[in-house]
Amino acid sequence: MANPEANFDGLVGPTHNYAGLAHGNVASQANRRKPANPRAAALQGLEKMRRVAALGIRQAILPPPPRPDTDWLRSLGFTGTDDEVLRRAGKADPALLAACYSASSMWTANAGTISPSADSGDGRAHITPANLASQLHRSLEAPHTAAVLRAVFPGELFLHHAPVPAGGRCGDEGAANHIRLAPSHAAPGLQVFVYGHEALGGGKVTGVLRKYAARQSREASAAVARLHALAPERLAFTAQNPKAIDAGVFHNDVISVGNEGVLFCHEAAFRDRAAALRELCRKYAALGGGPLQVIEVKAKEVSLAAAVSSYLFNSQLLSLPGGGMLLLAAEECGENARTRKFLTSLPGRGGVTAVEFADLRQSMRNGGGPACLRLRAVLTEVEWSAVPAGVKFGDTVYARLKAWIEQRYRDRLLPSDLADPELAEESRITTRGIYDILGLPKVLAG
Ligand code: SUG
C-alpha cells in the first residue's frame, strides 16, 4: 500500500516579509526589518514540495490567505476606504499594518491538528484549526484557514471542529505541538500533545519561564484530543521543557519530530525527560508493533543553541515508499559543524536511512523550517480521493505556480514597503491567481 501520509505545504504568499512580529522566535527577532525576497521564498517552498512529491509521497498545496486583511483592521476601528484604513492603521501602529499583511499562514504545521480516521472513535478524520491566539499577527489566520480546510477536506469523511476557544491563554498552535507515533502510518497510533503551559490555576506555567511566554496550553491540547474522540490509552500529554522555550523553542517541532515508530528529539525537549520518554515508550509498545525507536540527541553532541539555530529537529522525517526514512533537513544543518557531524552519523540509526538538505532560507529567517511548512494528514485511499485534484501537487500545477510566482512576486520587500498603496491591490490579484491555479473557490481568495 502507498504511504498514506500526505504533506500539505503552505504556499508562501506575496507579502512575505521580516517584521519581527513573533515573540520567542529568535530568527524572526534577529531578522527584523531586513529585506525579504517573497519570490525566492515561494520558489524555495515549491521546490521542497517538488522533491517530496518526486519521492512518491503524497503532496498537496494550501493557498495563502488574502492579504492585507482590511476587515480585521476595520474590526479594530479603522474606517474609510481600504487605502485609508491601511494608512490610518500604519500611522497608529506599524505593527498592526505588518500583522494585517503577514504571510505567516505559510507555516501550515500551525494550521491545525488532524487526527486520522484510524485513531478516532467514530472512524472519521478529525480536523481542528488552530486558534493561534498567542501572537496577534497569527490570530488572524484561523477563520480563513478553517474555510480552506473545509474546501480541501470536503464531505462526510471529515469532521471539522471550530478552533478551541482562546480566552484565558488557551492558545493552540496546531500540529507543531502534536506528534503521532504508529507502527505504520495506517495503523492506529499514539497521539502525543506537547504543551508549554497550563492556562488554568492562575496561568500557572509548567516550569519557570524567564524570558518568553509559552504558546500552547494544556487545556487546548486536551480539548482537541476530546473533540477528536481519541482513546485515552493512545494519548499522551507531555510538557515542554521551559528551558527550551526560553532558548527559542516556541513550538515543540523545533526540538522533536516523530514518524511512524521513530521519535527524534533533543534531550532538552521535554520537562521531566525520563518520565516523559518512559510514558511514550510504554504507550507505544502497547500498540503491539514493537518498541519505540528513540533517537535522543545529547547536548554535548548538539547544543540547544545549535539545535535552535540550525532547526535540526524541524526536519521532515519521511517514510520512503521503498522502505526506510529520509530526514529532509534545512541547509543550515549542513553548515553548522556540530549538526553536520551528527547527521553524518545518523543514517542507520533508528530506521533513518538517508539525510538530505533543502534550501528554505527565506522561511528559516522567520523561524520556519521544513517541518513548519507542512501539515501532515494520514488519509485512506478514499479520503485522499476526496481531496480536490487541483491542490494535489503535479507537474502542471508546479509549472503554473512557478510561472505565476516568477511573473507576479516581488524580489524585495521591507516592512516599510507595506505602506505602499499599490501593494494591496498587487497582492490581491496575485492571490486570486493562485486560487485559480489550484481550482479553489474564488470566494476564499477575498
Ligand atoms: O509563529 N514566524 C512563525 C514561525 C512558525 C514556525 N512554525 C513551526 N515551528 N511549526 C511564528 O513564530 C514571523 C513573522 C514575522 O516576524 O514577520 C513568524 O510569524
Short mmCIF file of all heavy atoms in Angstrom, two decimals, residues 17-22 25 28 104 107 109-110 137-138 176 215 250-251 253-254 314 366-368 372, ligand 1:
data_model
loop_
_atom_site.label_atom_id
_atom_site.label_comp_id
_atom_site.label_asym_id
_atom_site.label_seq_id
_atom_site.Cartn_x
_atom_site.Cartn_y
_atom_site.Cartn_z
N ASN A 17 7.54 38.92 4.53
CA ASN A 17 8.49 39.97 4.94
C ASN A 17 8.96 39.71 6.37
O ASN A 17 8.43 38.82 7.05
CB ASN A 17 7.84 41.35 4.81
CG ASN A 17 6.82 41.62 5.88
OD1 ASN A 17 7.10 42.23 6.91
ND2 ASN A 17 5.59 41.11 5.69
N TYR A 18 9.95 40.48 6.77
CA TYR A 18 10.54 40.28 8.11
C TYR A 18 10.17 41.47 9.01
O TYR A 18 10.91 42.46 9.07
CB TYR A 18 12.05 40.13 8.02
CG TYR A 18 12.48 38.96 7.14
CD1 TYR A 18 13.34 39.15 6.05
CD2 TYR A 18 12.01 37.68 7.38
CE1 TYR A 18 13.72 38.09 5.25
CE2 TYR A 18 12.37 36.61 6.58
CZ TYR A 18 13.22 36.82 5.51
OH TYR A 18 13.58 35.77 4.70
N ALA A 19 9.04 41.35 9.68
CA ALA A 19 8.58 42.45 10.53
C ALA A 19 8.89 42.20 12.00
O ALA A 19 8.59 43.04 12.86
CB ALA A 19 7.09 42.66 10.34
N GLY A 20 9.50 41.07 12.31
CA GLY A 20 9.87 40.78 13.70
C GLY A 20 8.67 40.66 14.61
O GLY A 20 8.70 41.09 15.77
N LEU A 21 7.61 40.05 14.11
CA LEU A 21 6.36 40.02 14.87
C LEU A 21 6.28 38.89 15.89
O LEU A 21 5.42 38.92 16.77
CB LEU A 21 5.18 39.87 13.91
CG LEU A 21 4.97 40.98 12.88
CD1 LEU A 21 3.81 40.63 11.95
CD2 LEU A 21 4.68 42.31 13.59
N ALA A 22 7.14 37.88 15.74
CA ALA A 22 6.92 36.67 16.52
C ALA A 22 7.76 36.63 17.80
O ALA A 22 8.98 36.45 17.77
CB ALA A 22 7.22 35.44 15.66
N ASN A 25 10.55 33.85 19.07
CA ASN A 25 11.10 33.23 17.86
C ASN A 25 12.39 34.00 17.52
O ASN A 25 12.34 35.14 17.05
CB ASN A 25 10.03 33.35 16.76
CG ASN A 25 10.50 32.90 15.39
OD1 ASN A 25 11.69 32.90 15.11
ND2 ASN A 25 9.55 32.57 14.54
N SER A 28 13.00 35.32 13.87
CA SER A 28 12.11 36.43 13.50
C SER A 28 12.60 37.74 14.12
O SER A 28 12.62 38.79 13.47
CB SER A 28 10.68 36.12 13.94
OG SER A 28 9.93 37.28 14.18
N SER A 104 2.28 34.75 7.43
CA SER A 104 2.64 33.68 8.36
C SER A 104 1.84 32.38 8.19
O SER A 104 2.23 31.34 8.72
CB SER A 104 2.51 34.17 9.81
OG SER A 104 1.22 34.72 10.02
N TRP A 107 3.29 28.64 7.31
CA TRP A 107 3.75 27.57 8.20
C TRP A 107 2.53 26.73 8.60
O TRP A 107 1.94 26.88 9.67
CB TRP A 107 4.48 28.16 9.41
CG TRP A 107 5.67 28.94 8.94
CD1 TRP A 107 6.78 28.43 8.31
CD2 TRP A 107 5.87 30.37 8.98
NE1 TRP A 107 7.65 29.44 7.98
CE2 TRP A 107 7.12 30.63 8.38
CE3 TRP A 107 5.12 31.43 9.48
CZ2 TRP A 107 7.63 31.92 8.26
CZ3 TRP A 107 5.62 32.72 9.35
CH2 TRP A 107 6.87 32.94 8.75
N ALA A 109 2.13 23.80 9.54
CA ALA A 109 2.15 22.94 10.73
C ALA A 109 1.32 23.60 11.83
O ALA A 109 0.86 22.93 12.76
CB ALA A 109 3.58 22.72 11.21
N ASN A 110 1.11 24.91 11.71
CA ASN A 110 0.28 25.63 12.69
C ASN A 110 -1.14 25.86 12.21
O ASN A 110 -1.91 26.57 12.85
CB ASN A 110 0.91 27.00 13.01
CG ASN A 110 2.33 26.89 13.47
OD1 ASN A 110 3.24 27.43 12.84
ND2 ASN A 110 2.56 26.17 14.56
N HIS A 137 -0.43 38.68 15.13
CA HIS A 137 -0.47 38.55 13.66
C HIS A 137 -0.94 37.17 13.21
O HIS A 137 -1.49 37.02 12.14
CB HIS A 137 0.91 38.86 13.05
CG HIS A 137 1.98 37.86 13.36
ND1 HIS A 137 2.48 37.65 14.61
CD2 HIS A 137 2.66 37.00 12.56
CE1 HIS A 137 3.41 36.71 14.57
NE2 HIS A 137 3.54 36.29 13.33
N ARG A 138 -0.75 36.16 14.07
CA ARG A 138 -1.16 34.81 13.68
C ARG A 138 -2.63 34.53 14.05
O ARG A 138 -3.26 33.65 13.47
CB ARG A 138 -0.22 33.78 14.31
CG ARG A 138 1.24 34.00 13.88
CD ARG A 138 1.99 32.74 13.63
NE ARG A 138 1.40 31.94 12.59
CZ ARG A 138 1.87 30.74 12.20
NH1 ARG A 138 2.93 30.24 12.80
NH2 ARG A 138 1.29 30.05 11.25
N ALA A 176 2.14 21.66 15.19
CA ALA A 176 3.53 21.94 15.59
C ALA A 176 3.81 21.40 16.98
O ALA A 176 4.97 21.22 17.37
CB ALA A 176 3.81 23.43 15.54
N ARG A 215 3.38 29.12 24.21
CA ARG A 215 2.26 29.37 23.29
C ARG A 215 1.14 28.33 23.39
O ARG A 215 -0.02 28.65 23.18
CB ARG A 215 2.77 29.36 21.85
CG ARG A 215 3.74 30.47 21.52
CD ARG A 215 3.82 30.61 20.02
NE ARG A 215 4.91 31.44 19.56
CZ ARG A 215 5.10 31.73 18.28
NH1 ARG A 215 4.27 31.25 17.37
NH2 ARG A 215 6.12 32.47 17.90
N PHE A 250 9.86 27.85 20.48
CA PHE A 250 8.50 28.35 20.69
C PHE A 250 7.45 27.31 20.30
O PHE A 250 6.29 27.42 20.71
CB PHE A 250 8.28 29.67 19.94
CG PHE A 250 8.60 29.59 18.47
CD1 PHE A 250 7.61 29.36 17.54
CD2 PHE A 250 9.91 29.72 18.04
CE1 PHE A 250 7.91 29.26 16.19
CE2 PHE A 250 10.22 29.62 16.69
CZ PHE A 250 9.24 29.39 15.77
N HIS A 251 7.82 26.35 19.47
CA HIS A 251 6.94 25.20 19.18
C HIS A 251 7.75 23.94 19.43
O HIS A 251 8.95 23.90 19.18
CB HIS A 251 6.51 25.19 17.71
CG HIS A 251 5.54 26.27 17.33
ND1 HIS A 251 5.62 26.98 16.17
CD2 HIS A 251 4.45 26.74 17.99
CE1 HIS A 251 4.63 27.84 16.11
NE2 HIS A 251 3.91 27.72 17.20
N ASP A 253 7.93 21.42 17.64
CA ASP A 253 8.56 20.85 16.44
C ASP A 253 9.91 21.48 16.12
O ASP A 253 10.54 21.16 15.13
CB ASP A 253 7.61 20.88 15.23
CG ASP A 253 7.32 22.27 14.70
OD1 ASP A 253 7.85 23.26 15.23
OD2 ASP A 253 6.52 22.38 13.73
N VAL A 254 10.36 22.40 16.98
CA VAL A 254 11.72 22.94 16.83
C VAL A 254 12.70 22.02 17.59
O VAL A 254 13.92 22.13 17.42
CB VAL A 254 11.77 24.41 17.34
CG1 VAL A 254 13.18 24.98 17.29
CG2 VAL A 254 10.83 25.30 16.53
N ASN A 314 13.54 20.28 13.22
CA ASN A 314 12.42 20.71 12.38
C ASN A 314 12.54 20.10 10.98
O ASN A 314 11.89 20.51 10.04
CB ASN A 314 12.35 22.24 12.32
CG ASN A 314 11.01 22.74 11.86
OD1 ASN A 314 10.82 23.07 10.70
ND2 ASN A 314 10.05 22.75 12.77
N ASN A 366 12.56 33.61 9.22
CA ASN A 366 11.40 33.97 10.05
C ASN A 366 11.08 32.84 11.03
O ASN A 366 10.00 32.80 11.62
CB ASN A 366 10.18 34.27 9.17
CG ASN A 366 9.76 35.73 9.28
OD1 ASN A 366 10.16 36.42 10.22
ND2 ASN A 366 8.95 36.19 8.35
N GLY A 367 12.02 31.90 11.18
CA GLY A 367 11.84 30.83 12.15
C GLY A 367 11.00 29.68 11.67
O GLY A 367 10.37 28.98 12.47
N GLY A 368 10.96 29.45 10.36
CA GLY A 368 10.16 28.33 9.83
C GLY A 368 11.00 27.39 8.99
O GLY A 368 11.49 27.76 7.93
N CYS A 372 7.88 23.04 9.54
CA CYS A 372 6.87 24.10 9.79
C CYS A 372 6.01 24.34 8.57
O CYS A 372 4.86 24.75 8.68
CB CYS A 372 7.54 25.43 10.11
SG CYS A 372 8.61 25.41 11.53
O1 SUG B 1 4.79 31.62 14.56
N1 SUG B 1 7.09 33.15 12.42
C1 SUG B 1 6.34 31.97 12.78
C2 SUG B 1 7.14 30.73 12.51
C3 SUG B 1 6.31 29.48 12.68
C4 SUG B 1 7.11 28.23 12.57
N2 SUG B 1 6.27 27.12 12.71
C5 SUG B 1 6.56 25.97 13.37
N3 SUG B 1 7.56 25.88 14.19
N4 SUG B 1 5.77 24.98 13.22
C6 SUG B 1 5.92 32.01 14.25
O2 SUG B 1 6.74 32.39 15.08
C7 SUG B 1 7.38 35.52 11.89
C8 SUG B 1 6.59 36.64 11.27
C9 SUG B 1 7.29 37.97 11.28
O3 SUG B 1 8.08 38.21 12.16
O4 SUG B 1 7.00 38.78 10.39
C10 SUG B 1 6.51 34.35 12.27
O5 SUG B 1 5.32 34.52 12.47
#
